[in-house]
Amino acid sequence: MHSHQTASDTIAGQVRKHRARLGLNRQQLADECARLGAVDLTYAAITNIETGRRNKEGKRRREVTVDELLVLGLALAVPPLLLVLPLGDEQIVPTVPAADPRDPYTVWKWCTGEETPTLAGPLDGRHYVDPRPIAGDGPKWSAAWGTAAYPASLYPEFERRREAVHRAYLRTETAQATRRTDKEGHSAAETDYLHRLEELARHINDMSRAGLTIPDLRPDLIEDMQGLDMLDDPDVINPRGTE
């Protein structure tokens, strides 16, 4: 614990790796960063990032900012999160200065809100969710984390349900063409579509209660949900392409 190894050290190694993967020298990477608007990521800056020069206390002279992480990821054609959490490439990565490093995929799930961080420990070989109240008498840390991370689970699920509705809708259109010869198939397609639509509507209601912005949807899907009284607030979403 209390190691001087930082996330910037991990990023430095990944920048070197992906720069070599693309066959870029440091000046070419600096040019790519400048093209993206990061003119401060010069040849000298990239050199300092990659070499990780230390001061007398052993700390890096040049850390990587969040803004720079985004630029470097785009310039190197790699998801920025993979620069700091290189899945399958490193066994452990730094977390916070007061805690032990952890495996990259564990920290990845913290960053995406899939799991609650477990920095306390290890006790009996295990890590534990922080049980303390924030600032001594505030909410439990784990509960506060769960509340803040809630949107991270809702938006991916919205995408899955929206896609399921879209596929079901296309099946109803196909079944419509054969309605006269396959009434049973048409009925099954309609039932599946309504079931998927209701699932999406329930999820939209959950997002609305959480105060989240609902992504745009096709007007016909919105009309169907509104017409079937599936939405708690019929005006909570806009048709795709409108304001």
Side-chain angles (χ1 to χ4, degrees):
M1 300 215 307
H2 302 284
S3 169
H4 289 313
Q5 191 79 5
T6 67
S8 291
D9 293 314
T10 304
I11 294 168
Q14 292 302 305
V15 168
R16 289 193 299 270
K17 170 187 170 180
H18 288 286
R19 184 168 60 76
R21 172 177 66 90
L22 298 175
L24 299 177
N25 59 38
R26 287 173 180 166
Q27 184 56 56
Q28 289 172 318
L29 176 55
D31 292 342
E32 280 296 304
C33 292
R35 184 180 65 82
L36 294 171
V39 295
D40 290 338
L41 278 172
T42 60
Y43 172 89
I46 290 171
T47 299
N48 284 333
I49 288 172
E50 288 192 0
T51 58
R53 293 178 59 216
R54 257 64 178 173
N55 60 19
K56 293 180 179 179
E57 288 74 39
K59 295 182 179 180
R60 289 181 64 97
R61 297 178 184 272
R62 180 68 161 77
E63 302 284 4
V64 180
T65 69
V66 174
D67 292 337
E68 290 169 345
L69 176 64
L70 294 174
V71 172
L72 288 167
L74 294 180
L76 291 165
V78 58
L81 196 54
L82 280 177
L83 291 179
V84 66
L85 300 173
L87 301 180
D89 201 29
E90 297 285 346
Q91 290 188 330
I92 58 172
V93 293
T95 53
V96 294
D100 291 326
R102 302 297 298 277
D103 68 277
Y105 187 53
T106 292
V107 186
W108 180 285
K109 288 184 287 186
W110 299 348
C111 291
T112 58
E114 297 174 66
E115 286 190 3
T116 303
T118 52
L119 293 173
L123 302 173
D124 302 325
R126 294 175 294 172
H127 289 78
Y128 293 85
V129 173
D130 192 341
R132 67 181 174 83
I134 295 175
D137 57 356
K140 285 281 188 72
W141 187 91
S142 56
W145 173 277
T147 299
Y150 187 46
S153 65
L154 289 177
Y155 280 98
E157 184 62 24
F158 174 88
E159 292 295 332
R160 286 190 287 270
R161 296 191 184 198
R162 178 167 63 180
E163 182 59 27
V165 168
H166 178 65
R167 290 195 301 267
Y169 180 84
L170 294 178
R171 287 193 292 270
T172 63
E173 289 191 325
T174 301
Q176 182 69 27
T178 60
R179 184 175 184 179
R180 290 185 179 180
T181 58
D182 186 9
K183 292 182 179 180
E184 185 175 334
H186 176 266
S187 177
E190 285 282 351
T191 299
D192 182 59
Y193 168 66
L194 292 175
H195 173 68
R196 303 293 182 183
L197 192 68
E198 187 176 16
E199 287 183 334
L200 176 61
R202 284 201 300 267
H203 195 72
I204 289 171
N205 291 335
D206 287 343
M207 295 179 73
S208 178
R209 283 191 290 271
L212 303 176
T213 300
I214 311 300
D216 293 340
L217 280 172
R218 288 173 38 170
D220 48 357
L221 300 184
I222 298 173
E223 290 172 4
D224 284 347
M225 283 189 285
Q226 291 172 335
L228 294 168
D229 198 26
M230 293 179 174
L231 298 173
D232 292 343
D233 180 0
D235 299 321
V236 73
I237 43 181
N238 292 319
R240 183 175 295 165
T242 66
E243 297 182 353

